[in-house]
Amino acid sequence: MTEVLSGNHFSLNPATHNYHYIYRFESTIRNALIIHPRLLAIRVDLRFPDDFEVEGNKVMKSFMAAVTSRLESRYWHKKRANLGKHVHHSELNYLWVREHNQCGSKVHYHVVLMFNGDAFNSLGNYWKEGNLTSLIINAWLSALKLKGNEHRGLVYFPKHPCYRMNRSTLGSTPDFRNLMQRVEYMAKHRTKLYGKVRSMGCSVYDETELENKEKKLSTRQASTLNNSQAPVQ
């Protein structure tokens, strides 16, 4: 049976797609739009060398830290170079899924990175330094502890990787819907190996999940309090 997610206009089949992932993805994108009313989202694939030993998702933590560090460095460099002028700062919001090939032996990541649309309006030239493309590539190579142009192909930007969204006109332009359709594909079951290693990550939790966690915590705290106040027999 095909159902439609509340608030969206695209159909999902629970037999082929992970509903939980889709809700988390949309929550992350909407949260990014609260932080940055004008948002640039980039779809990118991150790959490994053939002989690289992938340990869980540690490399994704290193990658996000490397992107954040480079964003901060870029901001302060521009700030010093433009004294007295306003320089736009960009937070990093992201979502990713861990993918496997048909044999299950090769791992790669499908990723959406979101930046302040006032700080970045495009990826820039693939072969030039100092733009968003080079920032992303260098951050991934840093996470892998690799150097050299021969490894640049480990970062792949698929066709039409950029989505530009404005919170005030979200419903009147196609980019939000197009991005949601793209992340719907990222939530497919077919290329996931569910188990000990997480297959998904994002920069924020879904609000419903947070509410559920808070309710469970409150229940546990109330139970502990009741037990501590119970009379000793």
Side-chain angles (χ1 to χ4, degrees):
M1 179 181 71
T2 299
E3 298 180 15
V4 179
L5 285 178
S6 175
N8 294 316
H9 302 285
F10 53 92
S11 298
L12 293 175
N13 187 332
T16 59
H17 291 77
N18 190 313
Y19 269 31
H20 175 61
Y21 285 13
I22 290 289
Y23 278 118
R24 289 282 295 274
F25 292 165
E26 182 174 2
S27 177
T28 301
I29 295 168
R30 290 188 180 278
N31 182 77
L33 281 162
I34 292 172
I35 298 170
H36 297 307
R38 284 169 292 280
L39 192 70
L40 175 66
I42 305 294
R43 174 67 183 83
V44 60
D45 291 348
L46 304 176
R47 300 166 175 170
F48 297 92
D50 289 336
D51 58 348
F52 193 91
E53 186 174 341
V54 184
E55 296 182 39
N57 293 310
K58 290 180 181 178
V59 70
M60 291 306 290
K61 184 176 181 180
S62 298
F63 170 66
M64 297 307 172
V67 173
T68 300
S69 174
R70 282 162 171 77
L71 287 174
E72 290 298 312
S73 177
R74 177 186 181 275
Y75 171 75
W76 287 110
H77 175 76
K78 280 185 166 288
K79 193 84 170 170
R80 288 190 293 269
N82 296 274
L83 293 175
K85 295 182 180 179
H86 178 69
V87 176
H88 292 285
H89 182 269
S90 179
E91 298 286 337
L92 172 65
N93 286 272
Y94 62 84
L95 53 95
W96 56 260
V97 290
R98 179 185 171 106
E99 301 274 308
H100 295 259
N101 63 1
Q102 291 183 347
C103 300
S105 57
K106 288 282 289 181
V107 175
H108 62 281
Y109 291 93
H110 289 177
V111 184
V112 173
L113 302 172
M114 288 163 278
F115 304 93
N116 184 352
D118 288 322
F120 300 96
N121 58 20
S122 70
L123 278 167
N125 188 301
Y126 181 83
W127 292 107
K128 288 186 177 180
E129 290 293 322
N131 55 30
L132 193 52
T133 294
S134 67
L135 187 152
I136 294 168
I137 292 174
N138 291 331
W140 182 239
L141 296 186
S142 172
L144 299 180
K145 296 180 171 57
L146 296 173
K147 292 182 180 180
N149 284 336
E150 67 271 22
H151 300 298
R152 291 176 68 90
L154 297 175
V155 177
Y156 172 71
F157 296 97
K159 205 170 184 180
H160 307 303
C162 298
Y163 297 85
R164 297 171 182 85
M165 290 163 283
N166 189 318
R167 191 174 69 201
S168 64
T169 59
L170 205 58
S172 60
T173 57
D175 273 32
F176 178 74
R177 175 181 171 82
N178 290 342
L179 178 59
M180 286 305 303
Q181 289 175 336
R182 198 126 189 203
V183 300
E184 174 188 349
Y185 174 79
M186 290 171 60
K188 63 189 184 302
H189 292 307
R190 180 169 48 84
T191 52
K192 308 290 186 302
L193 289 180
Y194 298 114
K196 293 182 180 179
V197 179
R198 280 193 304 133
S199 293
M200 181 271 289
C202 57
S203 49
V204 296
Y205 285 104
D206 178 77
E207 292 142 358
T208 303
E209 183 176 346
L210 281 177
E211 289 174 2
N212 291 337
K213 285 186 175 183
E214 289 171 355
K215 287 177 182 177
K216 289 178 182 178
L217 180 61
S218 297
T219 301
R220 285 198 300 269
Q221 290 174 335
S223 176
T224 302
L225 181 62
N226 290 337
N227 290 336
S228 65
Q229 292 177 343
V232 179
Q233 299 296 326

